Amino acid sequence: MQNTFDAIVIGSGISGGWAAKELTEKGLTTLVLERGRDVKHLVDYPTTSLMPYEFEHRGRLTQEIQEANPIASRCYAFREDALHFFVKDAEHPYIQEKPFDWIRGYQVGGKSLLWARQTQRWSDFDFEGPVRDGFAVDWPIRYADLAPWYSHVERFAGIAGNRDGLDSLPDGDFLPAWPLNIVEDHFKNTLKQKFNTRHLISARAAHLSQPQPIHLEQGRAKCQNRVLCQRGCPFGGYFSSNASTLPWAAKTGKLTLRPHSVVHSIIYDEKKGKATGVRVIDTQTKQEIVYNARIIFVNAAALNTNLILLNSTSGRFPQGLGNDNGLLGKYIAFHNYSATISAEYEGYLNYTTDGRNPAGGGYVPRFRNLYKQETDFLRGYAAGFNAHRSTSNPRPDAIGEDWKKQLLNPQPGLWRVGSHMMGETIPKATNFIALDKEQKDDWGVPLLRVNVAYDENDEKMRRDYHEQFTAMFAAAGFTNIKTHITPRNPGLDIHEMGGVRMGHDPKTSLLNKWNQLHACSNVFVTDGACMTSTATQNPSLTYMALTARAANHAMEELKKGNL
Amino acid sequence: MNRRTLLKHAIILGGGMVFIPACGGKEEKKASAWKHLSLTAGEEALVGEMVETLIPATDTPGAKALEIDRFVLMMVDDCYPKDQQAGFVKGLQQSPAVAEKLFHRSFDKCSTEEKIKILQALSTHTAETGQFYKLLRELTREGYLKSKFVMTKLLPYELVPGRYNGYVLLKQQTA
Ligand SMILES: Cc1cc2nc3c(=O)[nH]c(=O)nc-3n(C[C@H](O)[C@H](O)[C@H](O)COP(=O)(O)OP(=O)(O)OC[C@H]3O[C@@H](n4cnc5c(N)ncnc54)[C@H](O)[C@@H]3O)c2cc1C
Ligand code: SF4
């Protein structure tokens, strides 16, 4: 294998796949380095067509697996059908100074195989958050900078959604939305009538509800509502790197994908004043190999991207690549998913649903502190909302023929409704990650120490979510309303962000407005590590748009001879 | 032998042992090679009788023919922590006494109505029989509804629905 490329992309997940697609399309020979094994679309989805009864434990985890994997087991998708796409606890240890559930997928495609496909754009209420509310630093970009790139990404990935016309959640280039059901619509109408700045929309999700020529060209077909996406989809109905960006990049003939390749560090050349390549350990041979390139995209997912940069030390950068100000690894933030609420509804008993909704139901965009500060906590939360018709069990003590008859003739019970909060957390210097000074992994890379926790703002926000949603549920006539605190560690939201934040000023940030390291401009960071603040949206669509935008800029700069 | 063939063998073996009296003493030899559970053939046969009582054969197969007893034991063996496994086994072992107390017969010699009464009595007999019965019932339900037979013949599972309709009008109002 040749060792010199135009571009190197570290990581083949959601953001790395986009980097690969954009860079190869622009004609750059691109090496994608992936620490895990290869997962080929269709070929490597071993469970995709199994019926529920074909799983020995009908989808459940054995006690042995749970005990060996307390961290991964806390993720709802870590089940018998998709275990093979998750990192097991013992495989890649890290140090939790405070409890942090780090959920990872180390394989070609990364977590794009596993994600829940929820995709919303940010608005200027989000980009202007830090400067308006006085935390973190100002984002160096605004919605207008990213809007065309959101469109670019949405058209290719395929996002189902309605044009809802909300200023808090800009519309995109959508495929037809999945419908809400009758009770979800009832809640939507309640909000419209009684809470004028609060809205329920059909959740926007990366599913091909109506494939366009660009999707068929990728070899993908219409989503068939299986809702077994975490197994890998035989139709390519949802967006993953494996189904979409990576095969597309491969078709250009410019892509070299190298699985089993852990990037140890990025090599900085002091004379040239830029990065010249990366040091890789082949996980099968344990050999160290150096690859060179003109530009490097770091897309190892937020914490691993921090780790690689922290581990890339040189005479010029003794504290890690680009880390002149000592802020690398700091201002980590995440999403506050620590509360849910459930209830029942006794209306519309003559209706039910049929089939399955890949988008999962409805989405309530942030309404708290939106136009102005109105509570005693900063920022706010979005929320998922869905309703389903339960199955009634009128005779719980039935035994024998009686019970058998009941089981075989399930009668619809009440509607059950539920919501979960997705709160913004405030990036703080005290939420940080660092390298352990002694302990290393099998590849000689220092272990990560994670120091991230909830704070008082998060608790206040959770209380408010419970209060507001209780009121909204009551207004909709829902009964048996129950609020739940779901005691979960940071990380389990799987939306960890920051550590290499973007900003105007090299003194207070690591990346410029094009996602280039201020101090080493041919290194681009476009995954969650670059996020200055978290907003409330599911983040991956924004990583994709930032990646495509940065790749375009990289190409322009290369053409101008600036890199 | 991999685990699946082992299970199949165990099933054949288990099936042949239904006729052994279910009141089983401790001297009976172990029936199947579970990882954690240590049960006599008689105790396993009793589980078979019980799942069949919960979901009997009618014009469609009952739980025994669908090997739900094997499923229940496999799940308890694989998917539950030690204390729940122990509670399950204790409860199972205390069950024959309930049959003796109520009807002076072993469970398998009782009529269907008597068996139902015995199962109902398990809920409150001791903490362990209560725990045993709860888990037995839950797993029987899960095993039955997620059996190949039910999922293909009685309540067909659609792997690929290809649709979602959020407004399906029911013929008559329910609940
Ligand atoms: C169950 C679940 C549900 C989710 N739901 C949603 C959702 O609804 N919406 C949403 O927006 N997001 C969701 N997410 C989060 C989403 O998956 C991530 O935000 C997204 O995958 C991040 O993209 P990435 O490219 O940064 O990282 P990843 O997709 O994780 O890819 C990173 C890749 O880098 C590789 N790598 C790491 N370190 C190295 C190294 N040193 N050398 C070489 N390779 C390396 C990894 O193996 C991996 O393949 C969900 C995640 C999970 C697990
Ligand atoms: S819901 Fe759609 S995308 Fe998911 S597995 Fe099914 S067909 Fe594939």
Side-chain angles (χ1 to χ4, degrees), chain A residues 84-283:
Chain A
H84 48 284
F85 291 144
F86 284 85
V87 166
K88 311 299 176 293
D89 291 11
E91 288 171 348
H92 300 286
Y94 60 98
I95 298 156
Q96 303 177 59
E97 296 200 358
K98 294 171 188 152
F100 185 90
D101 292 334
W102 192 11
I103 307 297
R104 293 160 289 169
Y106 286 175
Q107 62 246 328
V108 167
K111 298 192 293 285
S112 76
L113 286 162
L114 293 168
W115 70 320
R117 310 152 319 272
Q118 301 288 309
T119 37
Q120 312 91 21
R121 290 186 179 204
W122 281 37
S123 76
D124 275 335
F125 291 110
D126 305 301
F127 286 110
E128 288 172 1
V131 74
R132 188 193 83 177
D133 291 346
F135 64 94
V137 290
D138 187 17
W139 275 88
I141 55 170
R142 288 294 181 264
Y143 177 65
D145 296 303
L146 210 50
W149 297 101
Y150 275 129
S151 296
H152 177 78
V153 162
E154 285 161 346
R155 283 195 290 263
F156 187 82
I159 308 293
N162 281 316
R163 300 185 63 82
D164 298 291
L166 305 178
D167 51 4
S168 58
L169 204 74
D171 291 331
D173 281 60
F174 294 146
L175 305 175
W178 300 101
L180 293 175
N181 66 38
I182 189 165
V183 172
E184 290 161 352
D185 268 336
H186 163 71
F187 190 56
K188 174 184 174 140
N189 292 332
T190 304
L191 295 190
K192 200 181 286 171
Q193 284 156 18
K194 301 184 182 164
F195 299 86
N196 62 16
T197 58
R198 304 183 186 183
H199 309 275
L200 179 79
I201 64 168
S202 169
R204 299 170 180 177
H207 282 266
L208 299 182
S209 54
Q210 197 181 90
Q212 302 301 304
I214 185 70
H215 307 123
L216 302 175
E217 218 183 308
Q218 294 168 40
R220 299 169 58 200
K222 186 170 156 57
C223 168
Q224 296 296 320
N225 309 63
R226 296 174 4 124
V227 194
L228 300 171
C229 314
Q230 70 285 352
R231 301 178 181 180
C233 177
F235 307 99
Y238 75 102
F239 172 85
S240 67
S241 304
N242 313 64
S244 179
T245 45
L246 291 174
W248 191 264
K251 267 200 288 194
T252 63
K254 300 282 180 185
L255 174 75
T256 304
L257 174 63
R258 195 180 198 288
H260 302 294
S261 307
V262 175
V263 173
H264 171 281
S265 51
I266 298 169
I267 300 162
Y268 181 77
D269 185 318
E270 306 208 0
K271 283 200 205 85
K272 293 187 178 139
K274 57 184 173 186
T276 53
V278 300
R279 197 171 285 116
V280 166
I281 318 288
D282 183 307
T283 58

Side-chain angles (χ1 to χ4, degrees), chain B residues 5-164:
Chain B
T5 39
L6 204 127
L7 260 178
K8 263 189 207 132
H9 282 252
I11 286 160
I12 296 162
L13 221 101
M17 296 211 172
V18 177
F19 305 105
I20 292 173
C23 55
K26 297 262 180 310
E27 69 278 6
E28 267 183 272
K29 71 175 173 48
K30 281 205 221 167
S32 324
W34 301 113
K35 292 194 213 93
H36 309 286
L37 301 182
S38 173
L39 297 174
T40 64
E43 285 157 0
E44 287 195 11
L46 179 56
V47 172
E49 293 280 326
M50 286 176 166
V51 298
E52 184 66 15
T53 307
L54 284 167
I55 300 180
T58 50
D59 51 342
T60 61
K64 190 79 198 19
L66 297 174
E67 294 166 358
I68 305 306
D69 49 341
R70 309 304 305 174
F71 175 79
V72 169
L73 293 174
M74 184 270 293
M75 289 297 282
V76 174
D77 193 43
D78 282 355
C79 297
Y80 289 83
K82 290 241 162 338
D83 57 328
Q84 284 207 55
Q85 288 174 343
F88 181 89
V89 171
K90 261 202 194 142
L92 170 61
Q93 288 169 346
Q94 291 169 4
S95 304
V98 180
E100 290 293 340
K101 188 176 119 195
L102 291 180
F103 303 109
H104 317 290
R105 275 194 289 279
S106 62
F107 188 84
D108 62 314
K109 298 263 160 48
C110 293
S111 70
T112 304
E113 286 78 61
E114 289 168 344
K115 285 177 178 170
I116 290 177
K117 291 222 170 74
I118 296 165
L119 289 186
Q120 282 164 341
L122 289 179
S123 298
T124 49
H125 178 63
T126 63
E128 286 88 6
T129 57
Q131 199 183 336
F132 162 72
Y133 179 63
K134 188 162 177 263
L135 199 51
L136 176 78
R137 191 181 158 93
E138 257 169 42
L139 289 172
T140 301
R141 177 179 185 279
E142 179 177 0
Y144 180 67
L145 290 177
K146 289 192 179 164
S147 65
K148 181 173 180 184
F149 182 80
V150 172
M151 289 197 117
T152 53
K153 299 273 162 25
L154 303 181
L155 296 171
Y157 172 80
E158 286 179 289
L159 193 61
V160 183
R163 65 183 184 284
Y164 178 64

Side-chain angles (χ1 to χ4, degrees), chain A residues 53 56-58 60 63 182 185 224-226 350-356 389 396 398-400 403-404, chain B residues 3 53-54 56 58 60-61 74 78 80 133 137 142 146 158-159 161-168 170 174:
Chain A
Y53 52 82
E56 190 174 12
H57 305 98
R58 304 298 187 269
R60 289 214 241 160
Q63 187 65 19
I182 189 165
D185 268 336
Q224 296 296 320
N225 309 63
R226 296 174 4 124
N350 50 343
Y351 279 89
T352 187
T353 63
D354 179 42
R356 292 175 222 141
R389 193 82 201 256
I399 293 181
W403 195 36
K404 187 177 184 185
Chain B
R3 187 174 156 76
T53 307
L54 284 167
T58 50
T60 61
M74 184 270 293
D78 282 355
Y80 289 83
Y133 179 63
R137 191 181 158 93
E142 179 177 0
K146 289 192 179 164
E158 286 179 289
L159 193 61
R163 65 183 184 284
Y164 178 64
N165 183 348
Y167 281 70
V168 177
L170 291 165
T174 49

Side-chain angles (χ1 to χ4, degrees), chain A residues 529-548:
Chain A
C530 76
M531 303 294 278
T532 310
S533 63
T534 72
T536 53
Q537 288 84 336
N538 293 76
S540 306
L541 183 73
T542 299
Y543 305 164
M544 298 189 228
L546 285 169
T547 304

Side-chain angles (χ1 to χ4, degrees), chain A residues 391-398 406 409 411:
Chain A
T391 309
S392 79
N393 198 353
R395 298 261 325 273
D397 57 340
Q406 282 180 29
N409 297 287
Q411 295 302 310

